Amino acid sequence: MPIHAGPVLSRKSPLPAALVLFAFQQNGSADGAAPASEIPDSASGPFRAIIRSGDFKGKAGETVLGYPEGKEPRRMVLAGLGKIQEFSLPRLRKSAAAAAAILRGRGVNRWDLLLPVLPKGRDVAEAAAAFAAEGALFGGYDPKALATKPKSPRTEPDVTIHPHRAEDARAAREGARRGEILGRAVTLSRELGNLPGNVMTPTRLAIEARKAARPRGIRFRALGPAEMRRLG
């Protein structure tokens, strides 16, 4: 599965080659943005350097890519969540998708995501992981791979989602699993919808629907013209 739930990243945790961090917008703050979670030490300096540069304010949907010197992460994406009082989980999905798109554009398919600090509760942790997983798959989808001569083969993102609290680990795993199911369903719909009519014929659509249903134990039946006429 391309979406995983990993352990909590402590201040001393070894970091991946690519890391996505979130930040909230803070009007009136000297820095303009504040991290949405505790940041591992090796990422803290580069994070604050980007904030001080003025290139990133933490606005909703805003992203910036940094290249920390020295040890990993070799790439770090900051994704804005907007003002904390206006935060919503769909906004987390949108920001995760924006970060995934940046990494996909640079050929990075394996990366880690650190969830923001949210109110305690299993339901909240599970939902946050699910929305983040959906966003990772949405942003990782590349419609250009359908081109006659694609520049690179289609690859799925391999993402590890880290909760902020250890007690949220189980909920994050379930949320990541659920978000991956929903994200795959949406990207499959986009894939089929992007194909031209001479390729995605009714017969081909039925074949693709059967391929998606049968391995999951879902009953499938395709109706022919005569059966559909009888139904009106």
Side-chain angles (χ1 to χ4, degrees):
M1 295 174 66
I3 308 294
H4 324 272
V8 172
L9 289 182
S10 69
R11 292 182 59 188
K12 302 299 181 182
S13 294
L15 293 179
L19 178 65
V20 172
L21 299 170
F22 296 98
F24 287 113
Q25 180 182 2
Q26 285 197 330
N27 290 338
S29 168
D31 291 335
S37 58
E38 183 178 10
I39 300 175
D41 288 348
S42 58
S44 179
F47 178 95
R48 301 192 187 287
I50 291 173
I51 299 300
R52 287 195 300 270
S53 73
D55 294 338
F56 177 80
K57 298 294 185 182
K59 296 179 181 179
E62 184 181 17
T63 55
V64 64
L65 175 64
Y67 296 88
E69 296 180 0
K71 299 180 179 180
E72 295 180 342
R74 293 190 292 272
R75 290 181 177 90
M76 184 172 65
V77 178
L78 304 188
L81 296 175
K83 298 177 181 179
I84 191 168
Q85 62 270 28
E86 299 174 357
F87 173 76
S88 65
L89 289 174
R91 183 172 287 182
L92 172 63
R93 177 175 56 199
K94 181 178 180 180
S95 294
I102 284 183
L103 292 170
R104 172 177 54 80
R106 286 156 179 79
V108 179
N109 294 314
R110 178 172 294 181
W111 45 276
D112 288 49
L113 179 150
L114 182 56
L115 289 174
V117 177
L118 297 172
K120 290 185 178 182
R122 175 183 172 81
D123 291 346
V124 175
E126 184 176 323
F131 275 87
E134 289 180 45
L137 288 170
F138 293 173
Y141 173 73
D142 182 11
K144 293 181 181 178
L146 297 173
T148 305
K149 295 181 179 180
K151 294 182 179 180
S152 59
R154 168 68 55 79
T155 57
E156 287 188 324
D158 187 329
V159 183
T160 301
I161 297 174
H162 298 271
H164 181 69
R165 290 179 286 262
E167 59 265 32
D168 292 336
R170 184 175 179 179
R173 284 195 299 271
E174 178 58 29
R177 185 191 70 83
R178 179 161 56 90
E180 180 176 10
I181 292 171
L182 294 172
R184 280 178 173 272
V186 171
T187 53
L188 174 61
S189 299
R190 292 172 67 184
E191 183 89 344
L192 301 181
N194 284 335
L195 291 171
N198 64 325
V199 175
M200 187 46 61
T201 62
T203 301
R204 171 75 181 277
L205 182 59
I207 292 172
E208 294 295 335
R210 182 174 58 190
K211 284 168 56 179
R214 286 192 170 176
R216 295 163 178 82
I218 300 173
R219 295 178 61 186
F220 171 81
R221 181 187 176 194
L223 302 180
E227 294 169 301
M228 295 178 71
R229 279 194 293 269
R230 284 197 296 270
L231 292 173

